[in-house]
């Protein structure tokens, strides 16, 4: 009856220490509508599969929990006759308010990310604290998963690192290759998934930058890869070429992620970190409908002319464009928008067709005055971030004070779709 698009919109899922929180967003406010409280660990990554399965990867733990989202169906009453749902056209969407624990499976400590293959029958799990990548079978109808393989990472970690740290797996637009940034190996790992192989078939060296996040973008009929780096604080743009033997990248452009751009000497930044980014684009993106990138930057300081300058935490908005009609693609900074916090952890876009809102989750720093969740409206034409349309405080998110400030730190946010 249901499909991936049957899930009600405007439901955000937030992962944080000790709990998973379901939040309704109505365009102007956040409201907590459901929670799953776990005994320990941090819900560091969440992966949803229709009709109502939710895998919760426990960060700083050693397990992945399967939850089901339940509480009936949306329609003319709150207590439907389930037997009539199939034939009643008014019952068209599942209405999820309550995460319920179903089962758990032991995984390696320190898992950081979960990603589906194209038909959602396999899950890729980079394990940065174990230096390997696990492959899980997720085809079972009851939502259970089982590990079917693991991929050791070839080569030697970079100087000063004791093991590889694969950070995130991203599936390319063809559904064939996964690209995995390996922060401690200064590389991008290519996983071939065709014919169920799931093998690391190539390692692309990216020296001295600290590969952290990647995303694919379509622009003027071509495919590009954008890499966000942790050590050099850059966005690096690559063109993508395919061959029967694999996938190849050619660097086109790189630039600083902070709003001051090239004026900042990144070596002088004090404890800076670009933590996450998202892209928004249409399949027919062109020079009049350019892809947008939003980079989440922590607050930082830098030295210039013997003075210390403060850079507030902000979302930096870039577009993929061309310098002129015949020029090469470039990442152009539009502006930076402060979000009112210091330690952002994750960012996502709303799942409506226009991607009308951008959401940020922020970890507590020294004060409970900072917001935990922030929503920005995107301008319908320029796609710039406008004023904050909603915020949620830490006191509204946390259950009690038993976990101290650590319990205030949301580290994952997505809208269910």
């Amino acid at each position: 009856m249901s499909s991936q698009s049957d899930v009600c919109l405007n439901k955000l899922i937030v992962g944080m220490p000790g709990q998973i929180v379901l939040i309704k967003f109505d365009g102007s406010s956040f409201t907590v509508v459901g929670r799953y409280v776990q005994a320990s660990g941090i819900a560091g990554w969440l992966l949803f599969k229709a009709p109502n399965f939710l895998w919760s990867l426990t960060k700083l733990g050693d397990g992945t929990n399967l939850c089901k989202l339940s509480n009936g169906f949306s329609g003319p009453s709150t207590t439907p006759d389930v037997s009539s749902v199939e034939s009643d056209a008014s019952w068209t969407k599942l209405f999820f308010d309550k995460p319920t624990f179903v089962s758990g499976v032991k995984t390696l400590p320190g898992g950081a990310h979960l990603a589906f293959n194209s038909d959602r029958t396999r899950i890729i799990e980079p394990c940065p604290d174990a230096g390997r990548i696990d492959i899980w079978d997720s085809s079972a109808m009851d939502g259970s998963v089982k590990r079917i393989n693991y991929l050791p990472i070839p080569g030697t970690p970079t100087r000063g690192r004791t093991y590889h740290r694969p950070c995130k797996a991203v599936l390319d637009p063809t559904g064939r290759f996964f690209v995995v940034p390996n922060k401690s190996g200064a590389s991008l790992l290519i996983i071939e998934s065709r014919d169920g192989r799931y093998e690391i078939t190539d390692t692309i060296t990216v020296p001295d930058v600290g590969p952290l996040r990647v995303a694919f973008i379509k622009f003027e009929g071509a495919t590009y890869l954008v890499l966000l780096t942790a050590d050099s604080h850059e966005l690096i743009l690559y063109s993508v070429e395919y061959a029967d033997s694999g996938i190849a990248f050619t660097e086109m452009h790189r630039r600083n992620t902070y709003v001051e751009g090239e004026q900042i000497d990144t070596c002088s930044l004090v404890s800076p970190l670009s933590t996450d980014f998202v892209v928004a684009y249409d399949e027919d993106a062109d020079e009049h409908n350019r892809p947008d990138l939003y980079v989440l930057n922590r607050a930082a300081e830098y030295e210039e002319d013997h003075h210390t300058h403060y850079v507030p935490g902000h979302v930096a908005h870039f577009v993929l464009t061309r310098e002129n009609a015949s020029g090469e693609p470039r990442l152009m900074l539009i502006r930076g928008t402060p979000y009112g916090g210091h330690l952002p952890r994750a960012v996502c876009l709303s799942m409506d067709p226009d991607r009308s809102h951008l959401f940020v989750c922020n970890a507590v720093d020294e004060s409970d005055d900072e917001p935990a969740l922030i929503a920005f409206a995107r301008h319908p034409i320029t796609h710039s971030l406008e004023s904050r349309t909603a915020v949620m405080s830490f006191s509204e998110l946390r259950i009690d004070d038993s976990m101290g400030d650590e319990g205030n730190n949301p580290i994952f946010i997505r809208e269910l779709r």
Side-chain angles (χ1 to χ4, degrees), residues 250-265:
T250 302
E251 183 176 328
M252 306 294 291
H253 183 227
R254 65 171 65 194
R255 62 152 300 131
N256 192 290
T257 62
Y258 278 76
V259 293
E260 282 75 4
E262 313 306 335
Q263 298 175 8
I264 290 184
D265 175 8

Side-chain angles (χ1 to χ4, degrees), residues 6-331:
D6 285 334
V7 182
C8 285
L9 300 181
N10 306 326
K11 279 288 174 56
L12 293 164
I13 191 88
V14 173
M16 57 188 299
Q19 61 174 327
I20 299 167
V21 188
L22 279 170
I23 296 173
K24 182 174 178 58
F25 174 68
D26 63 7
S28 60
S29 64
F30 294 115
T31 304
V32 173
V33 295
R35 301 178 191 265
Y36 164 65
V37 180
Q38 56 191 42
S40 62
I42 301 173
W45 195 272
L46 298 139
L47 191 64
F48 175 79
K49 181 179 180 179
N52 61 339
F53 297 123
L54 183 71
W55 287 282
S56 169
L57 180 64
T58 304
K59 187 177 178 68
L60 303 181
D62 60 355
T64 294
N65 293 326
L66 171 64
C67 294
K68 282 189 177 181
L69 302 178
S70 60
N71 208 29
F73 299 85
S74 63
S77 73
T78 57
T79 56
D81 177 2
V82 177
S83 63
S84 67
V85 169
E86 293 281 359
S87 59
D88 189 343
S90 64
W91 297 97
T92 57
K93 292 180 181 292
L94 293 169
F95 182 75
F96 294 150
D97 275 354
K98 185 180 180 181
T100 303
F101 176 79
V102 176
S103 61
V105 59
K106 189 174 180 62
T107 60
L108 292 173
H113 182 248
L114 301 171
F116 279 125
N117 66 341
S118 57
D119 65 4
R120 299 175 182 262
T121 60
R122 297 290 183 269
I123 293 176
I124 312 300
E125 181 194 1
C127 305
D129 288 355
R132 77 182 202 189
I133 300 167
D134 283 1
I135 313 297
W136 296 83
D137 183 342
S138 56
S139 62
M141 295 296 290
D142 63 359
S144 60
V145 296
K146 61 179 179 180
R147 185 189 292 115
I148 57 175
N149 194 13
Y150 72 90
L151 307 179
I153 297 175
T156 303
T158 53
R159 182 181 302 175
R161 311 283 188 173
T162 57
Y163 53 87
H164 292 286
R165 291 187 61 85
C167 298
K168 186 177 182 180
V170 175
L171 188 62
D172 85 304
T174 71
R176 177 181 170 186
F177 300 101
F178 284 91
V179 178
V180 181
N182 177 16
K183 183 179 177 183
S184 295
S187 62
L188 300 176
L189 307 172
I190 309 301
I191 298 176
E192 165 71 84
S193 70
R194 188 167 64 178
D195 300 326
R197 289 174 59 186
Y198 294 97
E199 300 173 353
I200 297 175
T201 55
D202 198 5
T203 300
I204 299 171
T205 302
V206 191
D208 305 320
V209 299
L212 181 66
R213 297 282 188 267
V214 293
F216 285 92
I217 296 179
K218 292 278 193 177
F219 180 52
E220 296 182 340
T223 302
Y224 297 89
L225 180 83
V226 180
L227 167 64
L228 175 68
T229 70
D231 296 340
S232 64
H233 323 295
E234 292 176 303
L235 287 172
I236 305 177
L237 177 70
Y238 299 90
S239 63
V240 179
E241 295 182 0
Y242 293 96
D244 187 62
S245 59
I247 186 172
F249 306 124
T250 302
E251 183 176 328
M252 306 294 291
H253 183 227
R254 65 171 65 194
R255 62 152 300 131
N256 192 290
T257 62
Y258 278 76
V259 293
E260 282 75 4
E262 313 306 335
Q263 298 175 8
I264 290 184
D265 175 8
T266 56
C267 294
S268 67
L269 284 167
V270 179
S271 299
L273 186 63
S274 300
T275 58
D276 201 3
F277 80 121
V278 291
V279 298
Y281 68 93
D282 295 328
E283 289 293 333
D284 58 351
D286 56 28
E287 191 58 30
H288 302 290
N289 185 18
R290 301 174 298 187
D292 299 281
L293 296 87
Y294 301 91
V295 179
L296 198 53
N297 287 322
R298 289 184 176 181
E301 296 177 344
Y302 69 98
E303 300 292 335
E304 184 178 64
D305 298 330
H306 307 291
H307 294 284
T308 299
H309 301 269
Y310 177 74
V311 182
H314 60 276
V315 180
H317 176 201
F318 298 85
V319 295
L320 179 56
T321 185
R322 295 186 186 275
E323 291 183 327
N324 52 62
S326 60
E328 298 291 341
R330 291 289 183 267
L331 294 165

